[in-house]
Amino acid sequence: MRTSPSLRRKLISVAALSAALLTTGTASVAVAQESAPRDASAVPAAQTEAAPGTPAERLIVGYKSGADEAKSNQAAEADAAAKGKEAGEDVDFQRRLGTGAALVDLGSDLTRADVADVVAEYRADPQVAYVVPDRLNKPKADPNDTEYGKQWDLFEATAGMNVPGAWNTTTGTGVTVAVIDTGYVTHSDVAANIVAGYDFIGDTAVSVDGDGRDSNPADPGDWYNANDCGSGIPASNSSWHGTHVAGTIAAVTNNNKGVAGIAYGAKISPVRVLGKCGGYDSDIIDAITWASGGTVSGVPANSNVAKVINMSLGGDGACTSATQSAITAAVNRGTTVVVAAGNENDNVANHSPGNCNNVISVAATNRSGAKASYSNYGSLVDISAPGGQTSTGTANGILSTLNSGTKTPSTESYAYYQGTSMATPHIAGLVALLKSANSSLTPAQIESAIKANARALPGSCSGGCGAGLADAAKTVQAVTGGSGGSTGGTTFTNTTAVSIPDNGSAIESSIAVSGRSGNAPSTLQVGVDITHTYRGDLVVDLVAPDGTSYRLKSSSTSDSADNVNTTYSVNASSEVANGTWKLRVQDVAAQDTGRLNSWKLTF
C-alpha cells in the first residue's frame, strides 16, 4: 500500500488559495486531440508549474468522454500508476473533480523536468483530452483598509511604487525596522506592529518629556514658539513625524480601517532622537549604533535589533567622520541604512546624512513621477520614491497615521504630508520586504537590487535622481528568483589600487567588458571605492568605450567628509556595452592625497 500522499506532500496554505479554482474543461470533452509524442522537452514551462518558478505537485487530467478513466476511479488510478512508471515517478490518483476530471498527485520533490516527463506521458495518450498543472492561486483583492484608495503612492501606474504586486510574495514578516525620528504617539492602526524602542534624547530642553534618556520612546510633541529655535523662525505645531513615517512602513493592513503599510508584516522599533527644534548628531549616532545591535554605554542591549534603519532627518554640511563611522559599523552588522536626501531643492552633497557613504539616499517624486519641487538631487542620490507634493492638491501628498494634537497628544488621525521624509519610508519598507523574502541579502545586495530594478522616472528630474523610481514588485521578484526582475546582472571589477596625486593630473583605471550583447543599460551601476580626505576635492567621471564622459561626482568646497564609497547609476543606453570602460579621478585642490581602491560596473 502506498504512503498517504498527505504525509509526503508539502502543505499548501488554505489562506493562499483563491475561492475559485481554475479548471479548463468538463467531464464530457468531445473535441478530438492528436496524441503527442513522449517528448518532455516539448512541454511548455507553464504546463509544469503551480506558480512561476514552482514545479507543480499535482496535475488535473481530463479524459475524453468515452474513456474508462473518465468514469472509473479505479481505471484512473491504474492509469496514473502506469504513467508514473513510464516517467520514472510515483503518480497517485487523488480524487474526481466536480467536472469529472482526475486530480493526480506527483509528490513534493519533483523538478520541472520531472513534471514535464509525467505531462508528456499524459499528452501522448489519445484518450486524454487535456492535462494541466493544479495551479496555485492567490488573493488579488486590494486591502480592505478604508483609506487605501487614497494611497496612490503604493499602486498608481504612473508614479506609484508597484507595492501590491510584491505582497503575494512577502509582507515583511520577521524584519524589524528602526525609525530614528521623533518617537511614536499611540495609534491603533500601527500599534500591533510596534515593538520596544528607546529615547536617546539626553538634553531636557530638546526632549520636552522632562527627563533624559530612557526606554520610553513616546512622542510628547515637538511644538515650539516663534524664535524658540532661532531668531526669525516662526512657531510650529507638533509634527508627530515619526508616527507618520511608521505608518507608511508598517501600518496594520487588512484591518478594515485607515491605511495600508508597505511592509505590514514587519515590526517598528521607535527610536527617539528628534524633539523640540531637532536633534543632535551625538544622539543620532548612538541611536544608529544601538538600533543595529551595537553597544552604547549606559543603555540596555537592544532586544529588537533592526535589519533596516529609516532616518527621515538631516542637516546642512558634510557627513562627519563621527556619523559616517556609526553608519559604516551598522552596515557591517548587516543593517541597511535608508536616509532622506533632504528638502532644500539643492545638491544632496551639501546635506547630511544624505551625503554619507554606505546609505541608500532617497529623493522624492510627485504624483506625476517627476522630482518633487523641494527634493534634493545629485549624483549621491541612489533612488527615488513617492514623496508627494501638496502644493498641487492635498490629496497629492502621502497619507499616513498621525495625531490631531497641536501641542500634546490628542486623538489619533490621518494626514497628508510631503517630503523626502515621506519618500524614505517607502524604500525602508521595500528593504523590509526584500530582507523578509531573502534573509541572506546583504545591505549592498539590497541596494543593488533596488537600483537594478527601478524604472525610469515618468517625469523630469534635473540634477540627478538616482537609478529611477523604485519598483517593489519587480525588485522582490528579482531577489526571490522570480521572472521579471534583475538581481543586478553581470559585474566587472578592477581591484588594482591607483594613487591619486594631490591637486594633480587625472588618473584612469580600466575595465574590459566582453560577452555582452547590445548596448549598456539605462541604469548602469558604477561602484566606486576611494580613500581620500576631504572628498570635495575630487572629480569623478565614467568614460565609455567611445570616449564619451559621464560625470559621476563634481568637486565641492563644502563637502569635507572623507572617502567616496558609493554606487552611481548612469544612463548609458546609447553606449555599446562591450569595450574598455574607464574611471577617471582627479584631485582639483591642494593638501589632500588619496587612492582609488577599486571600482566595478554592473550591467
Side-chain angles (χ1 to χ4, degrees), residues 303-320:
S303 59
N304 297 294
V305 174
K307 288 303 178 185
V308 191
I309 285 175
N310 186 103
M311 289 199 292
S312 292
L313 50 79
D316 295 339
C319 178
T320 66

Side-chain angles (χ1 to χ4, degrees), residues 108 149 152 278 302 400 465 552:
S108 60
W152 62 267
N302 184 3
S400 189
C465 285
L552 303 180

Side-chain angles (χ1 to χ4, degrees), residues 288 323-333 337 357-358:
I288 294 169
T323 297
Q324 185 64 67
S325 177
I327 290 171
T328 299
V331 171
N332 288 341
R333 284 189 282 269
V337 181
N357 292 324
N358 296 321

Side-chain angles (χ1 to χ4, degrees), residues 527-531 563-566 583 595-599:
V528 178
D529 181 0
I530 296 174
T531 299
N563 308 328
V564 179
N565 189 350
T566 191
L583 190 74
R595 181 180 67 254
L596 169 62
N597 301 306
S598 66
W599 70 289

Side-chain angles (χ1 to χ4, degrees), residues 2-24:
R2 298 184 181 190
T3 303
S4 168
S6 63
L7 295 179
R8 58 187 178 79
R9 290 187 63 253
K10 291 185 292 187
L11 294 177
I12 297 177
S13 172
V14 174
L17 300 177
S18 84
L21 291 175
L22 300 177
T23 60
T24 59

Side-chain angles (χ1 to χ4, degrees), residues 312-409:
S312 292
L313 50 79
D316 295 339
C319 178
T320 66
S321 297
T323 297
Q324 185 64 67
S325 177
I327 290 171
T328 299
V331 171
N332 288 341
R333 284 189 282 269
T335 299
T336 301
V337 181
V338 187
V339 302
N343 303 327
E344 293 80 16
N345 189 26
D346 186 25
N347 195 312
V348 69
N350 301 318
H351 304 275
S352 176
N355 57 6
C356 293
N357 292 324
N358 296 321
V359 301
I360 300 179
S361 185
V362 186
T365 52
N366 59 28
R367 197 166 181 174
S368 66
K371 184 185 85 70
S373 61
Y374 53 79
S375 178
N376 286 349
Y377 51 83
S379 62
L380 295 181
V381 169
D382 294 301
I383 194 71
S384 293
Q389 190 157 331
T390 56
S391 62
T392 59
T394 301
N396 293 334
I398 305 300
L399 183 66
S400 189
T401 47
L402 212 70
N403 191 278
S404 64
T406 57
K407 292 186 176 180
T408 57

